[in-house]
Amino acid sequence: MKEFELIKHFFTEQAVKRKDVLLGIGDDCAVVSSTENQDIVVTTDTLVAGVHFPLGTSAKAIGHKAVAVNLSDIAAMGAKPSWISLAITLPEVNDEWLTEFCAGAFELCEYYNVQLIGGDTTQGPLSITITAQGLTPEGKYLSRSGAKSGDWLYATGELGDAALALQHHKKQLLLECEIAEQVQKKLDYPKPRVLAGQALREYASAAIDISDGMLADLGHICQASNVGANVVLDAIPMSDAMNKSQLFDDAINFALNGGDDYELLFTVSEDNKVGMETALSHAGVKISCIGQINASRTISTTLDNKAVPINGSGFQHFSSKTHTKK
Ligand code: ADP
Ligand code: MG
């Protein structure tokens, strides 16, 4: 199959057709209509085989993940995703692989009404770059820089499962089949918190998506906002699968330092706390208050109301078998 046939066969036909796309795939550029009173947020993420996903990951999971990680960034800005473009580098044209890849990618696009409007197709080692765009009401986007001393720190969902799955995959620990399957799903099919992000727009003072590990991403909020934070380790949300695995100290380290969770980490003022909790419970999203912002410009952690020190890769009395991406 030639490049143009491939593009037509796999990428041009898709279920999502948005009214604001004036020209989609097929011309030199896509054209979308601009909207008054709205800001456009734009993000790009690349997935390289063997770096951002293990070799042997299914094509469907790769397609899903490539879209999901970008929509997760859009969610962290409080925006509604609208369009993506896809630059894909393939070692060969494999119909079956591409069909599965598209199934994974388009499933998420359909769910969130996101249209693929263009891209580039090249030959080489497998790599996928997606640029995603989204819309927010003018001036209403969330950023990393608005956290204030006294704000409460929250996370959506549960943390650490993706890191646990990766450790299992690397055979650095052995999980029961059922647990392994559950956490593998979290690693392969992360759910971007798109609706939560939009619900947070009215309430959060700062937000980020957790892609590099909770502590690292909290560090980004603290740096951008010129603040510090205390994290209450007892409050870190973990899945039933993680709890069942009985990893104790390692579990905390996975939750704090493991990558690929794609949950949202955000801060809310005391005044907005109740409104935010109500809005997110209406959206059906689990949230946990895991600490508080302070003026110290450092990150501290407490366990059982006592301070516990952080070193480079974790806590002194925890082992350091952590997954740190990149
Ligand atoms: P050009 O040479 O002008 O860059 P291409 O031949 O690369 O155009 O692509 C032809 C059309 O197909 C363009 O509209 C481009 O956006 C689209 N396209 C190419 N690859 C992809 C892809 N992987 N996914 C979606 N659209 C693609
Ligand atoms: Mg091109």
Side-chain angles (χ1 to χ4, degrees):
M1 203 185 289
K2 296 248 171 62
E3 183 189 339
F4 297 110
E5 291 167 44
L6 183 155
I7 294 166
K8 190 163 185 304
H9 183 77
F10 290 102
F11 300 122
T12 308
E13 295 304 319
Q14 50 179 312
V16 178
K17 291 195 170 54
R18 292 175 59 99
K19 280 204 196 100
D20 55 10
V21 177
L22 307 179
L23 265 186
I25 294 170
D27 218 301
D28 290 314
C29 288
V31 183
V32 295
S33 58
S34 65
T35 336
E36 248 181 277
N37 309 321
Q38 292 211 294
D39 291 331
I40 299 177
V41 302
V42 185
T43 183
T44 300
D45 257 321
T46 296
L47 301 187
V48 176
V51 179
H52 300 99
F53 54 86
L55 300 171
T57 302
S58 78
K60 190 170 180 193
I62 296 169
H64 174 101
K65 195 161 186 174
V67 174
V69 300
N70 278 279
L71 296 195
S72 178
D73 283 322
I74 300 274
M77 304 301 287
K80 189 172 188 174
S82 49
W83 318 295
I84 59 167
S85 39
L86 164 69
I88 188 164
T89 306
L90 297 163
E92 57 178 351
V93 177
N94 176 331
D95 274 22
E96 204 181 326
W97 192 95
L98 272 165
T99 303
E100 283 299 299
F101 173 86
C102 286
F106 286 144
E107 189 174 46
L108 257 188
C109 288
E110 277 175 49
Y111 190 78
Y112 289 114
N113 192 35
V114 171
Q115 186 171 341
L116 176 65
I117 57 171
D120 202 16
T121 306
T122 50
Q123 191 166 23
L126 178 62
S127 160
I128 297 119
T129 298
I130 288 185
T131 295
Q133 305 184 43
L135 301 163
T136 60
E138 204 171 359
K140 288 283 193 178
Y141 59 85
L142 297 172
S143 71
R144 301 174 178 188
S145 61
K148 303 250 173 347
S149 180
D151 285 357
W152 297 100
L153 179 67
Y154 282 83
T156 59
E158 286 136 2
L159 305 181
D161 280 1
L164 180 58
L166 208 61
Q167 292 295 308
H168 177 74
H169 177 85
K170 289 183 184 164
K171 301 198 165 52
Q172 298 196 345
L173 50 77
L174 202 67
L175 296 172
E176 278 173 36
C177 281
E178 195 190 335
I179 294 177
E181 256 171 46
Q182 282 169 14
V183 294
Q184 186 68 36
K185 226 179 257 166
K186 289 269 200 71
L187 177 66
D188 284 345
Y189 294 95
K191 292 199 178 107
R193 294 292 188 178
V194 173
L195 300 181
Q198 287 171 73
L200 285 172
R201 200 162 57 208
E202 291 297 320
Y203 303 102
S205 48
I208 192 168
D209 71 319
I210 304 177
S211 52
D212 295 342
M214 197 278 280
L215 279 183
D217 289 316
L218 175 58
H220 295 315
I221 287 187
C222 288
Q223 200 165 29
S225 303
N226 254 319
V227 293
N230 182 65
V231 177
V232 179
L233 297 184
D234 323 61
I236 303 284
M238 288 190 231
S239 69
D240 288 344
M242 180 71 89
N243 289 330
K244 270 195 218 145
S245 67
Q246 300 201 310
L247 289 166
F248 308 110
D249 296 358
D250 277 349
I252 297 247
N253 269 325
F254 292 147
L256 293 181
N257 300 315
D260 285 334
D261 287 318
Y262 301 106
E263 296 293 348
L264 295 181
L265 182 71
F266 58 96
T267 58
V268 183
S269 68
E270 174 71 29
D271 286 352
N272 280 347
K273 202 167 181 251
V274 173
M276 181 280 294
E277 287 186 355
T278 309
L280 285 210
S281 98
H282 283 164
V285 180
K286 174 183 168 177
I287 49 166
S288 307
C289 185
I290 59 168
Q292 195 169 21
I293 300 297
N294 57 45
S296 71
R297 299 203 187 175
T298 57
I299 294 174
S300 57
T301 46
T302 55
L303 185 66
D304 209 6
N305 279 323
K306 285 190 235 22
V308 285
I310 302 177
N311 65 29
S313 55
F315 293 88
Q316 277 175 355
H317 59 289
F318 297 129
S319 87
S320 57
K321 278 191 280 170
T322 51
H323 155 57
T324 33
K325 211 178 71 167
K326 283 166 203 146

